[in-house]
Amino acid sequence: MMDETLPPSEQSAELDTLMLIIKSFLEHLEYTLGKDKYSATRHDIFNALAYAVRDRMVERWLDTQQAYYNQDPKRIYYLSMEFLMGRTLENSLVNLGLLDDFRDAMNSLGFDLDVLIDQEQDAGLGNGGLGRLAACFLDSMATMGIPGYGYGIRYEYGIFRQNIVDGAQVEYPDNWLRYRNPWELDRQEHLHPVKFYGRVVERKNAEGNTVFAWIDTEDVMAMAYDTPIPGFGTNSVNTMRLWTAKSSRDFDLTFFNEGNYIRAVEKKMLSENISKVLYPADHIPEGKELRFKQEYFLASATIQDVIYRFRKNHSDLRLIPDKVAIQLNDTHPSLAIPEMMRLLMDRERLDWDTAWDITTRTFAYTNHTILPEALEKWPVWFLEQILPRHLQIIYEINDRFLAQVRQHFPGDTGRLERMSLVEEHWERKIRMAHLAIVGSHSVNGVAALHTEILKEKVFTDFFEMWPERFNNKTNGITQRRWLKSANPGQAGLISRAIGDGWITDLDQLRKLADLAKDRDFIHAWQRVKQENKKRLADYIFRNNELQVNVDSLFDCQVKRIHEYKRQLLNVLHVITLYNRIKAAPAGDFVPRTVIFSGKAAPAYALAKLIIRLINAVGDVVNNDPDVGDRLKVVFLANYSVSLAEKIFPASDLSEQISTAGTEASGTGNMKFALNGALTIGTLDGANIEIMEEVGRENIFIFGMTAGEVDELRRRGYDPRDYYHRIPELKRVLDQIAEGFFSPATPDLFRPVVDALLNQGDNYMLLADYASYVACQEEVSRLYLDPDEWARRAILNCAGMGKFSSDRTIAEYARDIWGVEQMEVRPVLEFRKHDGPA
Ligand SMILES: *Cc1c(COP(=O)(O)O)cnc(C)c1O
């Protein structure tokens, strides 16, 4: 409310701001939405508010885009099939510095801003870490004044909504646009044709050179929707441009001329299917034709747009690498490489060498996974049919590339086969990672260990040929969303102690290290955590009808469900704890609430079965009177950005337990530590770097190293050795296999045990079990000393500076993109609505 301590002139400026917000909100309700206080639904209220906020962004947005146009800096294009943005309202208000003003304004109208914030649908246009990384990067680029654009697809349906029915995952469509998306602006004029199918003809041009034309294609139009991306505490507002598929007019005419009206309309609808739905698979292959078309749709529309924008200021295309950097978020958009070649040669009439030089100096590729099954490969016949010109170009790239390999490594035919862009098995396939490496000047991994594995194991041949191309960019997260917005209690405590410089300079959290010994600070820290845990407990009670002990250790594993992430290992530990309590019901046990959340790909049977197992174990444990509130198992349905924002602040323990060498980086690990959780983890991905930053003594490390995993595999791994050697483990596996947790269907979980005992236990859960359980005992012991626990949690938070996505982006900017930050100008006050100038 009004700050009466301010001088009268500033009090009246505050009042003006409030009046302007109220006016803007009411005008949108009435004129944009056609509603009044009698007819407005809660969606109308939200949308009117969102429009009022968007107006504040649009002012800065137009200025920023005009400045980019005038100053013509190098532009960064971040191409990603996924942007897991989550909610926008609170983040926009935080970044614009208008949260309190809007809270007061809505309050004076009788609305609770927090209720409205919690009402927003997530924009769930991504599966998990990869999509969320793209979203964090957009926030950092805008905050740092880097002229960055996110390019993606405007899926009509994002990641499915997960319900749990009788313990099992059930998927529902995510109709996120149903109540309109107030943040986007449709750009009817930004339209590019994207071609499919057809055939290629060659002819000689006037100079006697062979030129190619791709004709008789079926064209789909890509239409742009733009979303403003505000930076924090700056005027910079960048753009996320998402493409939607629209049938082309030509397309309509062809079929209408055939005289079959219904067929014509059907075809039109089919062509618009391209942007209909996000594929819900994370780290598992999705060899579908529609997915392939989506990837090309993004690539083609974006490269056309990039060249169009470049041409507004330049005529010499050879300057593209000076003005454009394109970052490929995994191989998903890597058809952009042959598309750039096609446009430069067939449309712009450049020769191969010039086009190739421009392309390779413009593109950079980020690898996100080393799981062999997740490396994309597309059947050659897809390209033959759908992208015949691109297949020619890829073959030509490959021929020239293999000639280079021959020169580098004479007589090494094995190497030629391994490095070829074309895999020659019974079905010929294009290896998209090889295409991305050959067509880029930079290849980066996303954590130090991951990059080493890329160099030493996955892409060794390429590393030996082009060592200078490989580099590491450890992932990061934006502290604006993951601390300031998600955990205002902890953020406020930190700011009162060390100032608020950390919001744009996360290294300043180091100043907390001195406070880790300060009694008052420790107690304030504990109070914040307890408040956050109460809030999550309320959420659990409302959603799962389960009462949890707020004083218990909140032990959280929240992420996609995947064998390599080893949620199952966590379940084995939970059952072990249960058995120990049952064996000594009067014993002393440190109370735990084990919280799981995450989606399984709908076709991933074992991952879905693991969800059922978690819930089945929960049914037994949670209802056993011997256990009481010393152990509870919670599965929170529908993991998403907005749910994550509720879980991280309330967590005590962060489970980061993937088999060493399988998790490229992880970013959930960073969000937890930033929010004051201690980590139990393997030496995998960014866990290693987290350990380096917070100190070995402040993190719980267990299990094999990546090297030991390799070594054990080489020696020959037999999971049964562990089964027979460790009685508690044998007991747990027998219980699962014999139906202890599924008495009505005793065989239900047998496939889970089969995977471990009879199918090789690919992710070596049994080898790490004993070490994990022992490490969990250490965790429990430490929890008995709340002050020491809090001290270490504070030191974890203090060590998170490195994991800001601002640092990651600064490294991309310096090492890969060669761009500098533009000058960050101060925030404008309300401008257009200040009244007559
Ligand atoms: C951060 C985040 C992820 C990535 O989590 P990992 O633990 O790194 O796999 C996935 N989904 C959501 C919603 C996230 O916020």
Side-chain angles (χ1 to χ4, degrees):
M1 296 313 301
M2 284 297 301
D3 185 348
E4 316 245 317
T5 61
L6 291 174
S9 65
E10 286 177 38
Q11 279 187 29
S12 94
E14 245 187 69
L15 205 54
D16 285 349
T17 303
L18 284 195
M19 293 310 295
L20 285 163
I21 293 171
I22 291 168
K23 181 161 174 283
S24 176
F25 168 80
L26 292 173
E27 284 184 352
H28 278 298
L29 190 62
E30 182 168 359
Y31 301 119
T32 309
L33 299 167
K35 291 294 184 79
D36 57 24
K37 64 180 172 183
Y38 305 107
S39 57
T41 66
R42 62 195 201 102
H43 301 293
D44 295 323
I45 301 298
F46 177 84
N47 284 327
L49 170 59
Y51 285 128
V53 175
R54 193 184 73 182
D55 287 352
R56 310 280 75 79
M57 284 193 276
V58 168
E59 294 161 354
R60 295 161 165 87
W61 196 13
L62 295 173
D63 285 352
T64 307
Q65 300 313 310
Q66 191 60 37
Y68 290 167
Y69 180 80
N70 292 335
Q71 301 181 30
D72 189 33
K74 186 169 185 177
R75 261 63 161 223
I76 310 307
Y77 295 100
Y78 197 79
L79 270 60
S80 181
M81 286 290 281
E82 304 190 9
F83 286 93
L84 192 52
M85 303 297 280
R87 290 171 173 162
T88 295
L89 175 57
E90 183 179 20
N91 187 248
S92 302
L93 288 172
V94 164
N95 279 11
L96 294 168
L98 292 173
L99 187 64
D100 291 337
D101 290 331
F102 270 76
R103 177 170 282 124
D104 291 349
M106 293 313 287
N107 222 342
S108 70
L109 290 168
F111 296 106
D112 181 341
L113 183 66
D114 293 321
V115 170
L116 291 163
I117 284 171
D118 213 35
Q119 193 189 305
E120 184 174 0
Q121 283 256 353
D122 277 39
L125 307 186
N127 275 287
L130 174 148
R132 184 56 229 176
L133 183 76
C136 285
F137 280 2
L138 294 187
D139 182 82
S140 285
M141 286 194 283
T143 298
M144 298 164 75
I146 290 176
Y149 298 74
Y151 271 87
I153 293 178
R154 180 180 178 272
Y155 303 108
E156 215 169 293
Y157 294 87
I159 186 68
F160 63 85
R161 192 162 50 84
Q162 177 197 57
N163 281 11
I164 299 298
V165 179
D166 297 332
Q169 167 172 301
V170 178
E171 301 95 18
Y172 290 91
D174 164 51
N175 194 359
W176 71 294
L177 297 167
R178 183 173 40 196
Y179 299 107
R180 77 170 71 197
N181 170 9
W183 307 109
E184 67 186 5
L185 286 126
D186 58 311
R187 304 296 199 191
Q188 314 275 348
E189 73 283 17
H190 289 278
L191 208 59
H192 301 284
V194 178
K195 296 162 181 278
F196 295 95
Y197 303 105
R199 61 202 173 88
V200 180
V201 292
E202 16 174 322
R203 58 180 178 76
K204 296 272 184 230
N205 68 4
E207 293 87 58
N209 300 319
T210 307
V211 292
F212 296 85
W214 180 17
I215 61 168
D216 297 341
T217 51
E218 291 180 22
D219 296 5
V220 178
M221 303 306 292
M223 190 183 110
Y225 280 80
D226 287 349
T227 301
I229 306 291
F232 176 89
T234 161
N235 257 340
S236 290
V237 177
N238 283 343
T239 303
M240 176 174 71
R241 174 161 285 184
L242 303 181
W243 300 108
T244 197
K246 293 273 183 198
S247 73
S248 80
R249 285 186 140 268
D250 296 350
F251 195 73
D252 293 352
L253 287 177
T254 325
F255 290 96
F256 278 105
N257 288 342
E258 289 168 9
N260 188 339
Y261 173 76
I262 294 297
R263 177 89 185 112
V265 175
E266 269 173 16
K267 272 291 204 182
K268 176 178 151 71
M269 283 165 50
L270 281 178
S271 71
E272 294 181 353
N273 274 347
I274 287 179
S275 54
K276 196 65 79 182
V277 61
L278 167 75
Y279 275 88
D282 194 49
H283 291 295
I284 49 176
E286 190 56 82
K288 297 286 195 305
E289 182 175 320
L290 182 59
R291 167 72 181 195
F292 180 72
K293 287 184 176 175
Q294 288 182 337
E295 294 186 357
Y296 179 61
F297 179 74
L298 167 61
S300 178
T302 304
I303 300 303
Q304 292 183 66
D305 213 45
V306 167
I307 294 177
Y308 168 84
R309 186 173 294 116
F310 175 84
R311 277 203 165 290
K312 284 205 264 186
N313 276 320
H314 307 274
S315 53
D316 185 351
L317 294 164
R318 288 170 302 182
L319 296 178
I320 286 177
D322 300 329
K323 289 293 172 187
V324 173
I326 299 178
Q327 192 70 40
L328 301 174
N329 197 23
D330 212 307
T331 56
H332 315 149
S334 60
L335 287 166
I337 290 169
E339 177 68 355
M340 176 76 102
M341 289 296 288
R342 183 183 74 86
L343 291 168
L344 292 178
M345 294 188 303
D346 300 357
R347 196 185 276 184
E348 307 287 350
R349 297 291 175 223
L350 298 180
D351 60 71
W352 180 282
D353 290 330
T354 308
W356 186 244
D357 180 65
I358 293 169
T359 300
T360 52
R361 287 166 58 215
T362 301
F363 278 92
Y365 158 54
T366 303
N367 173 280
H368 283 273
T369 180
I370 55 161
L371 299 182
E373 70 271 24
L375 293 175
E376 280 194 304
K377 291 168 191 169
W378 289 112
V380 164
W381 68 264
F382 271 26
L383 283 111
E384 267 163 4
Q385 287 189 9
I386 301 170
L387 302 175
R389 178 63 182 129
H390 297 76
L391 184 59
Q392 288 181 335
I393 291 170
I394 289 170
Y395 280 155
E396 177 81 24
I397 293 172
N398 199 35
D399 286 347
R400 291 167 182 252
F401 165 61
L402 291 179
Q404 260 183 298
V405 176
R406 261 182 226 106
Q407 227 171 34
H408 248 269
F409 307 99
D412 193 342
T413 50
R415 198 182 287 260
L416 285 173
E417 224 168 86
R418 293 198 303 271
M419 296 181 81
S420 173
L421 308 198
V422 185
E423 181 180 275
E424 312 268 1
H425 285 306
W426 61 274
E427 184 180 43
R428 302 178 86 207
K429 288 179 173 174
I430 304 298
R431 297 161 166 157
M432 302 308 279
H434 294 198
L435 173 63
I437 295 170
V438 173
S440 299
H441 64 278
S442 163
V443 179
N444 76 280
V446 290
L449 173 68
H450 173 231
T451 300
E452 285 314 301
I453 293 173
L454 290 183
K455 295 198 278 196
E456 305 297 330
K457 282 170 65 181
V458 186
F459 300 131
T460 315
D461 294 317
F462 292 91
F463 177 60
E464 284 170 4
M465 186 154 158
W466 293 314
E468 69 290 346
R469 222 171 262 206
F470 285 75
N471 64 94
N472 177 247
K473 295 289 167 281
T474 299
N475 281 167
I477 57 172
T478 169
Q479 65 267 33
R480 272 77 65 183
R481 179 176 292 262
W482 294 111
L483 182 52
K484 189 176 181 1
S485 305
N487 196 346
Q490 189 184 314
L493 177 62
I494 292 171
S495 288
R496 285 191 295 282
I498 64 168
D500 58 12
W502 61 270
I503 300 169
T504 51
D505 176 12
L506 200 62
D507 286 326
Q508 292 192 24
L509 289 182
R510 278 280 175 222
K511 296 181 201 161
L512 290 176
D514 294 334
L515 292 157
K517 304 186 276 301
D518 181 315
R519 290 245 149 255
D520 292 340
F521 189 78
I522 286 179
H523 292 149
W525 185 273
Q526 289 164 332
R527 276 195 298 278
V528 167
K529 182 60 79 182
Q530 200 65 9
E531 281 302 309
N532 293 339
K533 287 172 72 173
K534 277 207 189 82
R535 247 192 304 279
L536 185 63
D538 289 343
Y539 182 89
I540 293 170
F541 185 70
R542 285 198 305 276
N543 287 273
N544 293 35
E545 291 159 3
L546 180 71
Q547 197 98 48
V548 301
N549 174 3
V550 184
D551 296 321
S552 66
L553 195 171
F554 277 21
D555 172 350
C556 304
Q557 188 172 21
V558 297
K559 48 180 76 240
R560 287 298 289 243
I561 311 292
H562 203 299
E563 286 163 272
Y564 86 82
K565 292 175 182 279
R566 301 203 294 190
Q567 279 91 357
L568 187 50
L569 179 59
N570 190 339
V571 174
L572 300 184
H573 172 246
V574 170
I575 299 173
T576 304
L577 287 183
Y578 174 70
N579 289 340
R580 287 180 182 183
I581 294 175
K582 292 297 282 184
D588 262 344
F589 293 94
V590 176
R592 280 197 194 225
T593 301
V594 184
I595 299 170
F596 293 89
S597 194
K599 293 174 183 174
Y604 191 167
L606 191 53
K608 290 177 116 174
L609 194 57
I610 290 169
I611 292 177
R612 289 192 77 172
L613 177 62
I614 293 168
N615 285 308
V617 171
D619 279 346
V620 170
V621 170
N622 299 345
N623 296 305
D624 189 326
D626 287 349
V627 174
D629 66 1
R630 293 178 296 181
L631 183 61
K632 287 279 176 276
V633 181
V634 179
F635 189 96
L636 287 173
N638 200 38
Y639 188 51
S640 57
V641 172
S642 55
L643 180 53
E645 288 166 357
K646 299 186 206 302
I647 296 172
F648 293 121
S651 57
D652 293 309
L653 186 66
S654 160
E655 298 270 355
Q656 306 301 333
I657 61 177
S658 52
T659 317
T662 63
E663 184 76 273
S665 164
T667 48
N669 45 6
M670 302 165 188
K671 299 168 199 165
F672 272 113
L674 184 63
N675 280 277
L678 300 188
T679 301
I680 182 165
T682 48
L683 289 173
D684 199 17
N687 298 353
I688 297 172
E689 290 157 82
I690 291 175
M691 176 184 76
E692 289 166 2
E693 296 299 307
V694 306
R696 175 67 183 83
E697 64 286 6
N698 296 313
I699 185 169
F700 297 100
I701 297 293
F702 73 95
M704 294 180 289
T705 62
E708 287 164 353
V709 166
D710 287 344
E711 177 55 27
L712 179 54
R713 262 195 235 289
R714 255 197 305 279
R715 284 206 320 265
Y717 170 56
D718 186 355
R720 287 151 181 280
D721 293 347
Y722 300 86
Y723 172 80
H724 291 298
R725 200 161 1 107
I726 308 169
E728 272 193 308
L729 172 61
K730 178 172 187 304
R731 168 105 201 278
V732 168
L733 292 175
D734 290 347
Q735 284 171 311
I736 298 173
E738 289 163 11
F740 184 85
F741 300 103
S742 54
T745 45
D747 289 337
L748 179 63
F749 297 120
R750 215 169 254 286
V752 170
V753 177
D754 272 344
L756 300 180
L757 293 182
N758 303 324
Q759 285 151 32
D761 182 14
N762 285 164
Y763 297 100
M764 298 182 152
L765 279 69
L766 302 206
D768 275 346
Y769 169 86
S771 157
Y772 180 54
V773 171
C775 195
Q776 288 283 21
E777 287 165 11
E778 271 184 65
V779 170
S780 289
R781 264 196 299 282
L782 185 71
Y783 197 70
L784 293 172
D785 183 349
D787 288 3
E788 177 60 13
W789 183 284
R791 188 183 74 82
R792 294 196 199 175
I794 293 164
L795 290 175
N796 268 259
C797 181
M800 283 303 108
K802 173 172 175 182
F803 303 102
S804 170
S805 47
D806 299 347
R807 187 271 311 152
T808 314
I809 285 295
E811 291 179 6
Y812 275 92
R814 183 193 65 202
D815 303 341
I816 302 177
W817 303 334
V819 294
E820 285 164 32
Q821 290 174 230
M822 286 186 47
E823 195 193 338
V824 178
R825 290 157 300 152
V827 177
L828 286 180
E829 294 308 321
F830 278 77
R831 183 164 52 82
K832 300 216 169 99
H833 301 276
D834 278 353

